[in-house]
Amino acid sequence: MGTTQLESVPEPKYWHLKTVIGEALDSDFAVGEILPNERDLAARFGVARATLRQALEQLELEGRLQRRRGVGTTVAPPRVGVDVSTTEHAWPGSAQDSWQSVDCTQAVPPVAVARFLDTGADEETYVVRRLRVSHGQPVAAELLYVPAASVAELSAIDTPSGPARARAVLRELQRRELDGQDRAVELGSARADDAKELDRLPGAPVLMVTTRYFSAGRTAALSVATYRADTCRLTFGDSGDVEIRHHGEERRAS
Amino acid sequence: MGTTQLESVPEPKYWHLKTVIGEALDSDFAVGEILPNERDLAARFGVARATLRQALEQLELEGRLQRRRGVGTTVAPPRVGVDVSTTEHAWPGSAQDSWQSVDCTQAVPPVAVARFLDTGADEETYVVRRLRVSHGQPVAAELLYVPAASVAELSAIDTPSGPARARAVLRELQRRELDGQDRAVELGSARADDAKELDRLPGAPVLMVTTRYFSAGRTAALSVATYRADTCRLTFGDSGDVEIRHHGEERRAS
DNA sequence: CAGTGGTCTAGACCACAAG
DNA sequence: TTGTGGTCTAGACCACTGA
């Protein structure tokens, strides 16, 4: 026989599927439109449902699809740019920073957190819970760890619990001098409580932004914020308002 | 009957598995150690292999495991901090920025890229291919789009092809005044060629860092860099050298 | 070669949302 | 109640690595 072997390294079916569906999204579907259900799609492409789902998962990871149990799969809007620039040198909670305080408790932080704060291993800190909303949708959930030493003037007795207490802690923090901050971004999966706040399933991919706030030679606070990776694009600088269209050009309803 | 229903909302098996294995990693395994193979693990936990794999995928996403076909599953080292701070206001390729130029071609960029460059839709640009290595491992692959107008003095005739040409383009770029830059981070999946450079499978999760370089009121260059999401933690500021241990404390060999 | 992870199938049942 | 996506099973074969 001839040795004309065109595809010696066949690409996986789900990878090819992802490409085909991705192109179809660009040409045949409008944002918000509902796709056929997974069983139909699998039958249409002649693959098992699990294989079809592998392709959809990739597209969801890239922010092109949105899947909701009991509802269906829809075409996702472009990712929203969320400004996380560190240039402004401000404490959390300053000047309407688009976060809303939800709660405030006292607890001993995880060891990974305690390592950054100059506290003892079993020392309690304030834990402020905040939520960030953008365009009406929750995009991030944050845990802000504040050692008692950073808000020494705060009296636990006269501050009520809940959001008011959170605001009191932030207000006290803002009275200090902010020497600098420090930011890191990495991929993670949503903890159960974060997932609930973000209207996602536990384990959903998130971008974890860790920020250290320095004051008087110490780490005065540490923020761990989890952003929805499917809907968010983190921006550093002034590009937050620029429209980015990643996949193809125009779209039309079918 | 009594209404004592302890677990009305049972968590998924793979989620529970992930927790159990994650704790075992902290207590019973050392970095680099090889786990039992998937079939053994699945049997040991009494679940199907697919379910076990779902748990391992999550742990790999969080950077705690590394899986290699034909080899096995190993405990991953802590993520390496990679500095991507934008404060230094420098062109790409300046002052040993830990990137190495691989190649340089000319091609019409994707529409999503062309939109940022002030070029025509079908206009060719230089496309510089670079690779970033850290601790001996490739951590990022970059495509740098440079419109011909940004390196006007460059003559295509007297520049050789390959890495030398890439360096020539960068050198020419650095002669211009850099007005500012602009950075965004989002989740993506690795294209086939990027995956190959990063020693990953196509579709692997990556952190996509898009940088715009401004000069003379225009976008003089646009960089799209894909960082391995499993092994990298992007840092903005001076925290790149700080050890971050996210999961548990000490570890011991078993 | 044997052993590993990667892909794929054809089912089943469950949790959830909406009519 | 119906239909959706989410979970799970018990197999099979393939691609790759290293001895």
Side-chain angles (χ1 to χ4, degrees):
Chain A
M1 304 305 154
T3 53
T4 50
Q5 200 170 359
L6 287 182
E7 272 298 342
S8 59
V9 187
E11 60 184 356
K13 274 189 189 178
Y14 77 88
W15 185 258
H16 181 240
L17 259 185
K18 177 200 145 185
T19 307
V20 171
I21 297 178
E23 287 168 356
L25 290 182
D26 289 333
S27 59
D28 299 341
F29 288 88
V31 169
E33 197 172 346
I34 304 180
L35 269 65
N37 72 56
E38 296 181 350
R39 292 164 179 84
D40 282 355
L41 278 179
R44 186 173 313 187
F45 288 109
V47 299
R49 191 180 156 216
T51 305
L52 185 271
R53 276 179 62 80
Q54 218 173 336
L56 295 187
E57 262 148 39
Q58 286 251 347
L59 290 167
E60 192 179 30
L61 199 77
E62 295 175 21
R64 306 192 56 183
L65 288 181
Q66 191 163 351
R67 298 192 286 174
R68 274 172 304 175
R69 169 155 52 179
V71 178
T73 302
T74 56
V75 181
R79 284 191 175 130
V80 47
V82 185
D83 185 29
V84 290
S85 61
T86 191
T87 56
E88 301 163 27
H89 284 265
W91 288 107
S94 314
Q96 263 355 66
D97 57 359
S98 78
W99 290 89
Q100 52 183 250
S101 298
V102 172
D103 197 6
C104 179
T105 61
Q106 294 181 70
V108 312
V111 283
V113 169
R115 187 158 300 133
F116 288 127
L117 308 167
D118 303 301
T119 62
D122 295 333
E123 191 176 327
E124 277 199 342
T125 72
Y126 292 100
V127 183
V128 176
R129 183 74 162 148
R130 297 197 301 166
L131 214 58
R132 181 167 182 171
V133 291
S134 181
H135 303 77
Q137 296 296 325
V139 293
E142 179 202 44
L143 287 179
L144 180 70
Y145 299 92
V146 183
S150 298
V151 287
E153 291 80 2
L154 189 72
S155 154
I157 302 172
D158 62 347
T159 56
S161 63
R165 187 189 203 179
R167 283 189 290 271
V169 170
L170 292 180
R171 204 160 41 230
E172 201 62 36
L173 203 55
Q174 288 160 29
R175 293 175 54 177
R176 300 175 67 92
E177 182 83 10
L178 177 60
D179 295 336
Q181 45 187 320
D182 188 64
R183 201 152 280 187
V185 177
E186 61 188 313
L187 180 59
S189 52
R191 299 198 331 277
D193 54 343
D194 289 330
K196 194 161 195 174
E197 301 267 32
L198 299 176
D199 194 29
R200 300 253 61 196
L201 291 174
V206 290
L207 296 171
M208 308 214 7
V209 181
T210 308
T211 309
R212 290 191 284 174
Y213 296 90
F214 301 114
S215 179
R218 289 176 47 259
T219 301
L222 186 133
S223 152
V224 180
T226 68
Y227 286 79
R228 284 186 60 151
D230 55 344
T231 58
C232 292
R233 190 180 81 252
L234 307 183
T235 63
F236 301 77
D238 52 353
S239 70
D241 55 331
V242 176
E243 158 82 2
I244 296 188
R245 178 74 247 129
H246 275 286
H247 326 288
E249 329 211 38
E250 263 68 55
R251 301 175 172 218
R252 66 171 181 83
S254 68
Chain B
M1 313 298 167
T3 52
T4 50
Q5 200 168 359
L6 287 181
E7 272 298 341
S8 60
V9 187
E11 60 184 358
K13 275 189 190 177
Y14 77 90
W15 185 257
H16 182 240
L17 260 185
K18 178 199 143 186
T19 306
V20 170
I21 298 177
E23 287 168 356
L25 290 183
D26 288 333
S27 58
D28 299 341
F29 288 89
V31 170
E33 197 173 347
I34 302 181
L35 269 63
N37 72 56
E38 296 182 348
R39 292 165 178 85
D40 282 356
L41 277 179
R44 184 173 313 187
F45 288 109
V47 300
R49 190 179 157 217
T51 305
L52 184 271
R53 278 181 60 81
Q54 217 173 335
L56 295 187
E57 263 149 38
Q58 287 251 347
L59 290 168
E60 192 179 30
L61 198 78
E62 296 175 20
R64 307 192 55 184
L65 289 181
Q66 191 164 349
R67 298 192 285 175
R68 274 173 301 174
R69 168 156 52 179
V71 179
T73 302
T74 57
V75 180
R79 284 193 176 128
V80 47
V82 185
D83 185 27
V84 290
S85 61
T86 191
T87 56
E88 301 161 28
H89 284 263
W91 288 107
S94 314
Q96 263 355 66
D97 57 359
S98 79
W99 290 89
Q100 53 183 250
S101 299
V102 172
D103 197 7
C104 178
T105 61
Q106 294 181 70
V108 311
V111 284
V113 169
R115 187 157 302 133
F116 288 126
L117 308 168
D118 304 300
T119 63
D122 296 332
E123 193 176 325
E124 277 199 344
T125 71
Y126 292 99
V127 182
V128 176
R129 183 75 164 146
R130 296 198 302 167
L131 213 57
R132 181 168 182 170
V133 291
S134 180
H135 303 77
Q137 296 296 323
V139 294
E142 179 201 45
L143 287 179
L144 181 70
Y145 299 94
V146 183
S150 297
V151 286
E153 290 81 3
L154 189 72
S155 154
I157 301 173
D158 61 350
T159 54
S161 62
R165 189 189 202 182
R167 283 189 290 270
V169 169
L170 292 180
R171 204 160 41 232
E172 201 61 39
L173 203 54
Q174 289 162 26
R175 294 175 52 177
R176 301 176 65 91
E177 182 83 11
L178 178 59
D179 295 338
Q181 44 187 320
D182 189 62
R183 202 152 279 190
V185 177
E186 61 187 312
L187 180 58
S189 51
R191 300 198 328 277
D193 55 344
D194 289 331
K196 193 161 197 174
E197 301 265 33
L198 298 177
D199 193 30
R200 301 255 57 198
L201 291 173
V206 289
L207 296 171
M208 307 211 13
V209 181
T210 308
T211 309
R212 291 190 284 174
Y213 296 90
F214 301 113
S215 179
R218 290 174 48 258
T219 302
L222 186 133
S223 152
V224 180
T226 67
Y227 286 78
R228 284 185 60 152
D230 55 344
T231 58
C232 293
R233 188 180 82 254
L234 308 183
T235 64
F236 301 78
D238 51 351
S239 70
D241 53 331
V242 175
E243 158 82 1
I244 297 189
R245 179 72 246 130
H246 275 287
H247 326 288
E249 329 210 37
E250 263 68 54
R251 304 176 171 216
R252 66 170 181 83
S254 67

